[in-house]
Amino acid sequence: MKEYQVKGLTCAHCTQELQDEIQKLEHGSDAILSYNTGKLRVNPNVSMSDVSSVLKSEGAYIDAHAAHAAHEHHHHDHDEEGHAHSHDHSGNSNTKLLLILAAVLFGITILLDGKVPTSAAIIMYLISMAISGYPTFLKGIKNLFRFKFNIDTLMTIALIGAIGIGEWKEATLVALLFGLNELLEGLGMEKARKSMETLLQVAPKEATVISDGVETVVPIASLNIGDIVLVRSGEKIPSDGIVTEGKSSVNEAAITGESLPVEKSVNEPVFGGSINNEGVLRIKIEKAYQDSSLAKILHLVEEAQETKTPTELFINRFSKYYTPAIIVVSILVFLLPPLFFGGEWSKWLYQGLAVLIVGCPCSLILSSPIAIVSGITRNARNGILVKGGVFLEQLGKIDTLAFDKTGTLTKGEPHVEVVKSYDEKTFLEVAYAVEKSSSHPLAKAVMKFLQEKEIVAGDPDDIETVSGRGIQAKVNGQLYYLGNEKSMEHVQIPDEIRQDINTLKEAGLTLVLIANQTDILGMFGIADEIRDESRAVIQSLHEIGIKHTVMLTGDHQKTAEKVAKAVGVTEYFGNLLPEDKVAKVKELVSKGKVAMIGDGINDAPALASADLGIAMGKGTDSAIETADIVLMQDHLGKLPEAILIAKKVNRVIKFNITFSLALKLAALLLTIPGWLTLWIAILSDMGATIFVTLVSLTVLIQKKQ
């Protein structure tokens, strides 16, 4: 599929119609034209001259600057974007100037009413009408001949009718207000798009590569894996990599949404797009830019805008029937009173024309897209990637959250929770000597504890790992054993120590025991450390309306119970294999709207089985690719806010639809006593359009923390 930037899309309804027309072209059946992003994706075999003709019929066109930029390297993008934006901006300025000119002319004509000949006033009204509404009339007249009834056709019929019955003043006011409505509608979407573009501009453009001591500035696209780049203070890190030299704090807000700087030193990973705050870093590039975290984020965010939610699809279907239905109603309003109730033809023609204007579905179609783009943008600013409007809508509806335990509610890193010592000095020194050379996760947890206690010991004389039996080592000529309970079979364990072992096991701890040839010297009770924020997050989720929080884990039931109590979930299940997690998620889905949150490769099937899959950003690529929503932070802290944003978007969309329909219904009811005027009709539509746009943009407002 080829991608083009389209300018001049005035409304969501017209965009939908243009997409339908392009899909009728040869090879065009899978074409997608998005009002939200202004992007057209088509099969490369489609004739672009035919596409341009279709777009031209609605006053839209392919932006040559953006099309050219798509074929250039990244370092040209910035300039080309600048041209495109200035072009678009000047288009808006011209429209504003013409509307102001038309409004001034209209005002002068009203002031001169009765002081100049009627023919002169009519000419002035016509000029004002033409200046403010000529694109609408041209499109409307073309559509009339094609029997295609959209907003432009309805407006054109209404204006021709108003002129036909001599309502010059009202016809001009309708043209002016409609022109203003179109402009404001475009500006509303532009505001949401601009907010998104600001987000997308965090991408770095260039990198300073060091090769044989020589510094070369290269475009980001030409970076290779293994290149060493130099990043000075204030510069953006060009792509994901590892620090090879230097120490600094880095702002990762573009990736994780976290504003606090993160300290980085040698051998630590860094993300492309994050900013080096101070000092100079040398970084070895580990991913080409297009595979980096930032590039994936930007790609996902752009794609997210182009998916349509069930609500949007419903509104599009509804408007296809709504507009023709309104035409039928307007004909009945015009014909029935004069034919059967002795009404005046001119009065009821006027009422019928006003009903036509009420038939404009703009505000209804605009109820959803601006709110959705705003919601996706707001979440992306917080480091939460929602892969489409449909998932944002779902997030606002979930009532059950299923969590994986390890790495999600816990840190996924073992730590020493309890120490039982029966010969403290020997026990701790032997533990240090035996564990310091081991890379086992439990050994690392023990070493971290010993280092905090400032225990130091020499190397063992001899060390041997016995499969399934732990470690045997000689320290200062004495033989010691380190391992689990099974590796202590050579020792007669006294009752009080046996009781300690059972107590720690019941508490869900993993045991590391140390003994000599006759006695147990002590033991470490090790657990996966619970994340600091887990309890507060679960509590917040319950407060914002999540009824059911469930923890799923492969760990044994005792460990599951311990973590579940500590974090406050409503239900927990232990001893689950990956396929058991899937079965459990499916069972939950049968009872409610379920989101599953995980970070490991074994979570991917469960994420895919839930109504909504949410992955932790520093988890595996597999979980991130399977998930519908990605939390780019390595914690759950931003999850409640993401759900609140989704709930707000859903509320805004519901409100917008209700408000639009209520205003239209109120305007239609005014026809019963014959009170509906052309300007009330256009104001009802315009008021609704402006209002739903402003309400949708409130989603972008972020309270300062």
Side-chain angles (χ1 to χ4, degrees):
M1 298 283 274
K2 270 197 162 181
E3 198 173 89
Y4 298 92
Q5 191 71 39
V6 176
K7 297 288 176 186
L9 296 173
T10 51
C11 76
H13 186 55
C14 319
T15 305
Q16 181 65 41
E17 288 186 337
L18 283 173
Q19 179 180 292
D20 295 344
E21 289 299 317
I22 293 168
Q23 286 175 348
K24 289 175 192 168
L25 299 174
E26 194 180 354
H27 307 297
S29 58
D30 50 358
I32 297 169
L33 179 60
S34 168
Y35 176 57
N36 296 9
T37 57
K39 283 189 176 168
L40 168 68
R41 294 175 72 199
V42 287
N43 186 310
N45 298 322
V46 171
S47 158
M48 287 317 291
S49 61
D50 290 349
V51 170
S52 293
S53 302
V54 170
L55 292 173
K56 202 173 173 187
S57 70
E58 287 287 349
Y61 58 93
I62 287 170
D63 186 345
H65 295 294
H68 173 64
H71 298 289
E72 296 293 321
H73 282 309
H74 257 78
H75 62 300
H76 289 312
D77 283 3
H78 193 66
D79 297 336
E80 301 299 347
E81 264 176 32
H83 285 308
H85 285 188
S86 64
H87 185 97
D88 208 31
H89 182 69
S90 66
N92 273 339
S93 300
N94 291 342
T95 310
K96 280 182 211 162
L97 280 172
L98 287 172
L99 277 173
I100 291 166
L101 183 63
V104 168
L105 194 56
F106 178 63
I108 291 168
T109 314
I110 287 174
L111 288 172
L112 294 175
D113 200 14
K115 296 172 189 168
V116 293
T118 308
S119 55
I122 288 172
I123 288 166
M124 288 171 80
Y125 281 134
L126 278 170
I127 293 169
S128 177
M129 225 182 287
I131 293 171
S132 56
Y134 74 92
T136 303
F137 309 144
L138 293 176
K139 286 187 272 186
I141 287 164
K142 274 186 204 163
N143 290 344
L144 260 177
F145 287 115
R146 293 192 218 143
F147 292 99
K148 180 178 155 192
F149 292 96
N150 66 4
I151 174 58
D152 299 310
T153 325
L154 299 184
M155 277 298 176
T156 305
I157 295 170
L159 286 163
I160 291 169
I163 291 166
I165 56 173
E167 290 286 351
W168 297 99
K169 195 186 295 180
E170 292 224 3
T172 311
L173 183 60
V174 165
L176 263 171
L177 289 174
F178 185 68
L180 180 63
N181 190 35
E182 293 268 279
L183 175 71
L184 291 172
E185 191 179 320
L187 288 175
M189 195 67 223
E190 200 55 40
K191 167 74 180 156
R193 280 190 204 136
K194 282 278 195 305
S195 181
M196 182 64 78
E197 281 167 15
T198 308
L199 189 78
L200 302 182
Q201 279 164 11
V202 298
K205 302 281 184 282
E206 296 174 328
T208 305
V209 175
I210 299 174
S211 180
D212 301 324
V214 179
E215 291 180 22
T216 316
V217 177
V218 299
I220 216 85
S222 60
L223 271 185
N224 296 313
I225 294 169
D227 281 350
I228 302 292
V229 297
L230 189 73
V231 183
R232 295 182 175 87
S233 173
E235 291 182 347
K236 285 179 185 171
I237 292 167
S239 189
D240 296 3
I242 297 279
V243 176
T244 60
E245 203 177 302
K247 192 176 180 186
S248 180
S249 70
V250 169
N251 180 343
E252 294 183 344
I255 322 309
T256 65
E258 304 277 24
S259 52
L260 290 174
V262 183
E263 294 297 326
K264 298 288 180 184
S265 54
V266 175
N267 289 332
E268 290 195 311
V270 286
F271 294 116
S274 43
I275 300 165
N276 179 16
N277 287 332
E278 73 274 328
V280 178
L281 293 175
R282 284 188 186 221
I283 293 160
K284 183 182 180 185
I285 298 300
E286 300 240 301
K287 286 181 183 173
Y289 173 72
Q290 61 269 26
D291 298 324
S292 71
S293 303
L294 183 69
K296 280 182 184 170
I297 291 172
L298 302 187
H299 178 66
L300 288 173
V301 168
E302 280 200 287
E303 278 197 336
Q305 298 174 77
E306 293 176 24
T307 62
K308 282 201 165 66
T309 68
T311 307
E312 281 181 288
L313 293 168
F314 169 74
I315 291 171
N316 285 337
R317 281 198 306 273
F318 176 77
S319 62
K320 278 183 182 172
Y321 301 106
Y322 172 77
T323 307
I326 284 288
I327 291 171
V328 172
V329 171
S330 74
I331 292 168
L332 294 174
V333 166
F334 166 50
L335 293 175
L336 294 182
L339 285 176
F340 299 104
F341 305 104
E344 284 176 47
W345 284 100
S346 62
K347 180 191 169 181
W348 288 102
L349 171 59
Y350 177 88
Q351 290 286 298
L353 295 173
V355 169
L356 268 188
I357 294 174
V358 175
C360 160
C362 286
S363 59
L364 200 58
I365 288 170
L366 214 62
S367 297
S368 186
I370 295 179
I372 282 181
V373 170
S374 299
I376 289 170
T377 305
R378 169 98 182 270
N379 271 321
R381 274 194 216 144
N382 287 342
I384 296 155
L385 300 187
V386 182
K387 293 185 183 178
V390 61
F391 305 123
L392 188 69
E393 199 170 280
Q394 284 269 50
L395 183 63
K397 291 176 181 173
I398 57 164
D399 53 28
T400 303
L401 267 169
F403 298 86
D404 170 51
K405 178 186 78 74
T406 310
T408 304
L409 292 170
T410 65
K411 291 182 178 175
E413 295 168 7
H415 81 120
V416 173
E417 196 163 295
V418 179
V419 178
K420 293 284 182 186
S421 180
Y422 311 110
D423 181 348
E424 189 166 354
K425 189 171 186 300
T426 312
F427 164 59
L428 296 178
E429 284 179 2
V430 169
Y432 188 96
V434 176
E435 296 284 47
K436 72 174 176 184
S437 57
S438 173
S439 59
H440 192 283
L442 295 181
K444 286 182 176 173
V446 169
M447 282 307 295
K448 190 178 174 191
F449 169 80
L450 294 171
Q451 282 161 352
E452 283 168 6
K453 290 273 184 190
E454 297 182 352
I455 305 293
V456 179
D459 293 333
D461 308 327
D462 184 29
I463 191 163
E464 180 189 354
T465 303
V466 181
S467 180
R469 311 269 303 173
I471 296 169
Q472 292 179 11
K474 273 191 178 174
V475 179
N476 300 328
Q478 174 92 26
L479 185 62
Y480 294 97
Y481 301 82
L482 181 145
N484 58 20
E485 199 186 347
K486 285 180 186 168
S487 59
M488 301 293 149
E489 285 170 358
H490 65 286
V491 178
Q492 187 69 40
I493 300 175
D495 289 345
E496 64 269 21
I497 295 179
R498 171 70 60 199
Q499 198 174 337
D500 285 345
I501 290 171
N502 292 337
T503 304
L504 296 186
K505 278 165 69 180
E506 276 172 25
L509 300 175
T510 302
L511 302 188
V512 173
L513 293 89
I514 293 177
N516 57 24
Q517 285 171 297
T518 56
D519 300 304
I520 303 281
L521 303 177
M523 64 186 121
F524 297 99
I526 294 174
D528 186 359
E529 194 170 355
I530 293 168
R531 291 178 178 276
D532 301 334
E533 78 284 354
S534 290
R535 186 168 187 85
V537 167
I538 300 292
Q539 192 179 333
S540 297
L541 291 169
H542 290 153
E543 283 167 5
I544 63 170
I546 302 298
K547 296 184 181 76
H548 202 42
T549 48
V550 184
M551 186 183 79
L552 308 175
T553 179
D555 284 358
H556 55 77
Q557 196 69 9
K558 281 287 177 195
T559 305
E561 183 185 356
K562 176 174 174 284
V563 174
K565 280 183 178 167
V567 299
V569 291
T570 54
E571 207 175 350
Y572 61 92
F573 299 94
N575 295 317
L576 300 178
L577 296 168
E579 56 268 30
D580 300 329
K581 283 187 185 178
V582 172
K584 209 35 105 178
V585 167
K586 284 182 176 170
E587 187 187 314
L588 292 168
V589 166
S590 68
K591 297 175 191 166
K593 285 266 178 216
V594 181
M596 167 77 192
I597 305 169
D599 79 324
I601 197 154
N602 62 335
D603 297 323
L607 292 178
S609 305
D611 294 308
L612 202 59
I614 303 175
M616 305 279 278
K618 301 210 177 152
T620 63
D621 282 354
S622 157
I624 290 170
E625 277 162 30
T626 312
D628 309 310
I629 294 173
V630 182
L631 308 175
M632 290 311 293
Q633 313 84 24
D634 193 22
H635 60 77
L636 297 170
K638 302 258 173 133
L639 181 62
E641 190 182 355
I643 293 172
L644 283 174
I645 291 168
K647 282 178 181 283
K648 179 167 185 181
V649 168
N650 287 355
R651 275 199 314 275
V652 162
I653 291 170
K654 248 183 226 162
F655 172 81
N656 285 349
I657 292 169
T658 309
F659 181 78
S660 300
L661 289 173
L663 212 55
K664 287 182 184 303
L665 183 63
L668 287 174
L669 290 173
L670 288 175
T671 58
I672 297 169
W675 294 346
L676 184 63
T677 63
L678 288 177
W679 63 269
I680 287 178
I682 188 75
L683 271 177
S684 78
D685 181 67
M686 177 181 157
T689 304
I690 295 167
F691 194 66
V692 300
T693 301
L694 292 174
V695 170
S696 296
L697 289 172
T698 62
V699 175
L700 284 169
I701 299 165
Q702 193 150 356
K703 293 186 183 81
K704 294 282 178 245
Q705 298 296 313

